[in-house]
Amino acid sequence: MARNATAPHDPHYHCVGIGVGPANLSLASLLHGHRGMRKVFFEKEADFGWHEGQQIPGASLQVSLFKDLVTLAEPTNPFSFLAYLHDQGKIYHFLNAQFDALPRQEFRNYLRWASRRNPDIAFGEEVRSVGFDTEFVVRTNRRTVRAENLAVGVGTRPWLPPQATASARTQFHVGDFVHRDGDLGGKRVCVVGGGQSGAEAVLDLLSRTGSRMPRRVTWVSRRANYFPIDDSPFTNDFFMPCHSEHFFRQDRPVREAFNRDMILSSDGISESTLREIYQQLYVLRFVQGATDRFALYPNRSVEAVAGTDAQGWELSLAHPDRPGRRELADADVVVWATGFRPADMSFLDPLADRLEREGEELRVDDGYAVRWDGPSDRRIFVQNATRGQRGLADPNLSLNAYRSRRIADRLLGTRSDEQQPSFIAWSAKTASRVAAPAGTAPAPATAAAEPSWAA
C-alpha cells in the first residue's frame, strides 16, 4: 500500500491534498516527478475506490481513454492509461479487444494502480480540520502537519430528494446499487432518474433471468424522453480548455442558463445503452411474451412517496399534461438515480468566514484557487466543486488533467504550453480588435509566480 515517505519529524509541506479521487490523483500524478516539492495527499479510505457501488458489469465510460489522469496534460507521464496497460503486460490484448468504449471497471483498476504506485498518497488518514496562522494547519486522525498550499478534491456524495426515505431499507441511491441489488428477484423495482446511472440500473434489471429477475421494472424520469448524450464533435468543444476559460468569464446568469440548457452534453445516456435497453424491451414483450415486466414513465416528477418497507411504496407522479392530477406507481424497491452533489468540506469550517462563496460553491479565481482574505501565496485549490463557475466539464473526466496541470503550474511556478484553440470563436470580438493569427493559442490566464520552495 502506498504511504507518504516524508519523515514524521518534519511535518511541513508545500502542498497537502485532501481526498484522493480522480481529481487529486491526477494532481498527485503530475507532481510525482518533482522531488524537490514536499507533498502529501490524505485519503480517509483504506484503499482507492471509485463509484464502487455503480461498478455494474458491462458499464462503460462515456469519455475517451485519453481522458485519463495525465495524458491530455503530459502524454509522457508514467501514470497514463497506456503506461498502466504496458505495466500489466496486456497492451496488445487491449488493442485486440477493440472496445467501443472503455469498461468502467477497467478504468477503476487503472486508477487504483496509479494510486498504489504513488508514495505521496497516505491512505486511511482523514483530515478533521484546517486552521491557519502563517500557514495552513491540517489536523488528521493521526497527526498535525503544516502546508503552504492545499488541494481539496473530496469528490461528490449521493443526493436524495426530499421525497425519498433515506432510512428505508428498500429505498437507496443508485450509487449503492451493486451493494444492494442482491435481493430484487421477484420484486417490483422503480428506478427514478433519466441519466446514464439510471439507464444502467434499468438495463441490468431488465437483463436478469431466473431467481434474480424482478417482477416488474418501472423507469421514471422528469425528462420528456430518455435522451442520448450529445457526443457530437462541436458539442465536445464544450470540454476543451478554451471553452472552460470562456465560460469562467461569463456573468453568473449566463453560466446558469448554459448549464441548464446544455445538460445533455454531459448527462445524457450513451446510445449503446439506450439501444440495449430497447432491444431488451423488444425481446421481453414480443419474443418472450412478458407483457407486464416493465413500465416506462418519462416526463413525470415524483411528488411524494408513501408506504413502508414491509408493505411497499406508492409513488405519486405528476405529468405536465395533467396539472393537478396524479398518477400512481407501485414498487417494493425504489432506486434513486438522482445525481450527486459536492461532498462535505466541514474540515474548512475554521476558515469559513474568510472564504468567499458564490451560491453554494466556494468562489475561485481563474486558476482554481479559492478567493479569501489570507496571503496571496497561501492558496486553497478546489477540484470538482465549481460546476457553476467552470461549467458542465468541471465534474467530468474531460478536463481533469487540464485543471490539475493549471494547479500544478501555480504550485511549481511554471507555465505549460497551451493547446490550439477551438475552431469556434466563443467570445464576441469588438469591431476595432485585430484578430489573432489563425492557430494562435491564448496565454494562460494566470501568470505563474516562482514558488517559495524553489528558491
Side-chain angles (χ1 to χ4, degrees):
M1 189 67 65
R3 286 290 184 270
N4 184 267
T6 303
H9 61 270
D10 186 359
H12 177 271
Y13 294 91
H14 303 114
C15 180
V16 165
I18 303 174
V20 181
N24 262 353
L25 184 55
S26 171
L27 180 60
S29 299
L30 291 173
L31 293 176
H32 175 260
H34 298 274
R35 291 305 180 187
M37 183 183 193
R38 297 174 59 79
K39 54 207 177 290
V40 62
F41 289 78
F42 294 124
E43 168 53 48
K44 66 180 180 180
E45 302 297 336
D47 198 0
F48 183 88
W50 183 60
H51 296 302
E52 297 303 310
Q54 289 182 260
Q55 294 291 349
I56 300 173
S60 300
L61 284 187
Q62 291 185 298
V63 299
S64 166
L65 62 86
F66 291 115
K67 295 180 176 180
D68 61 10
L69 296 171
V70 295
T71 296
L72 294 183
E74 194 174 280
T76 59
N77 189 289
F79 289 95
S80 71
F81 182 74
L82 289 180
Y84 157 73
L85 292 176
H86 189 272
D87 178 76
Q88 299 294 296
K90 56 186 180 183
I91 192 166
Y92 287 100
H93 305 81
F94 182 83
L95 289 174
N96 293 341
Q98 299 181 11
F99 289 109
D100 292 328
L102 182 63
R104 188 180 297 158
Q105 291 179 335
E106 176 67 326
F107 195 73
R108 183 273 316 277
N109 293 343
Y110 153 66
L111 296 175
R112 184 171 291 164
W113 167 87
S115 73
R116 290 175 174 177
R117 289 170 62 90
N118 195 325
D120 297 324
I121 296 174
F123 286 104
E125 195 156 355
E126 180 180 9
V127 172
R128 299 286 176 78
S129 69
V130 176
F132 185 83
D133 42 42
T134 58
E135 296 178 312
F136 296 106
V137 181
V138 182
R139 295 178 175 85
T140 78
N141 58 327
R142 295 184 178 180
R143 52 178 157 163
T144 297
V145 300
R146 301 177 68 83
E148 297 174 15
N149 301 278
L150 301 178
V152 180
V154 292
T156 58
R157 56 180 173 79
W159 181 80
L160 292 173
Q163 302 92 313
T165 304
S167 60
R169 180 176 49 83
T170 53
Q171 290 190 40
F172 54 87
H173 191 271
V174 72
D176 206 24
F177 185 80
V178 171
H179 304 140
R180 303 281 293 275
D181 71 344
D183 187 32
L184 301 181
K187 303 289 181 61
R188 299 166 299 172
V189 183
C190 180
V191 177
V192 181
Q196 180 70 14
S197 297
E200 289 173 352
V202 167
L203 177 59
D204 178 80
L205 294 168
L206 291 173
S207 303
R208 296 184 178 196
T209 59
S211 61
R212 298 184 70 247
M213 180 192 305
R215 174 180 161 192
R216 183 190 307 119
V217 178
T218 301
W219 191 10
V220 177
S221 172
R222 289 185 301 177
R223 295 175 183 174
N225 203 345
Y226 304 107
F227 290 118
I229 190 169
D230 186 348
D231 194 31
S232 55
F234 287 105
T235 297
N236 272 320
D237 268 39
F238 296 157
F239 301 91
M240 290 178 63
C242 54
H243 188 269
S244 176
E245 301 304 325
H246 161 76
F247 183 93
F248 180 76
R249 293 190 296 268
Q250 304 310 301
D251 293 335
R252 184 176 177 182
V254 175
R255 290 187 264 118
E256 290 176 343
F258 181 93
N259 282 347
R260 180 179 62 252
D261 296 342
M262 301 299 173
I263 187 64
L264 291 178
S265 68
S266 69
D267 195 36
I269 304 169
S270 296
E271 287 198 31
S272 59
T273 305
L274 289 171
R275 189 177 303 112
E276 288 184 77
I277 291 174
Y278 202 95
Q279 291 172 351
Q280 187 60 24
L281 297 177
Y282 181 96
V283 170
L284 289 171
R285 177 67 59 85
F286 298 123
V287 178
Q288 299 180 3
T291 60
D292 192 35
R293 279 289 312 281
F294 60 86
L296 305 181
Y297 294 131
N299 210 21
R300 274 88 163 175
S301 58
V302 178
E303 298 294 301
V305 181
T308 65
D309 281 319
Q311 297 174 347
W313 306 101
E314 184 180 76
L315 288 77
S316 177
L317 309 179
H319 193 295
D321 289 349
R322 304 183 69 185
R325 303 285 295 274
R326 296 291 181 267
E327 296 175 280
L328 299 178
D330 296 326
D332 300 305
V333 178
V334 181
V335 181
W336 297 95
T338 45
F340 296 80
R341 299 291 187 273
D344 175 62
M345 297 186 193
S346 57
F347 49 82
L348 291 176
D349 284 352
L351 304 176
D353 60 348
R354 306 187 65 178
L355 310 178
E356 294 186 27
R357 304 193 69 88
E358 182 170 305
E360 296 183 356
E361 297 178 353
L362 292 170
R363 187 191 302 274
V364 296
D365 63 18
D366 56 6
Y368 298 94
V370 177
R371 297 185 182 277
W372 75 310
D373 66 0
S376 60
D377 61 345
R378 299 292 182 260
R379 294 159 296 198
I380 305 172
F381 298 101
V382 291
Q383 302 222 57
N384 188 13
T386 56
R387 182 177 179 271
Q389 299 167 78
R390 279 289 180 173
L392 298 168
D394 190 64
N396 188 283
L397 291 172
S398 296
L399 292 182
N400 198 27
Y402 166 74
R403 180 179 57 213
S404 292
R405 178 76 272 167
R406 289 289 302 277
I407 295 172
D409 278 348
R410 294 185 72 177
L411 292 171
L412 296 167
T414 57
R415 177 176 290 178
S416 298
D417 292 336
E418 295 291 318
Q419 294 297 303
Q420 296 288 345
S422 170
F423 298 133
I424 300 170
W426 292 115
S427 300
K429 295 179 173 60
T430 61
S432 60
R433 177 177 295 178
V434 177
T440 301
T446 303
E450 187 70 15
S452 59
W453 59 266

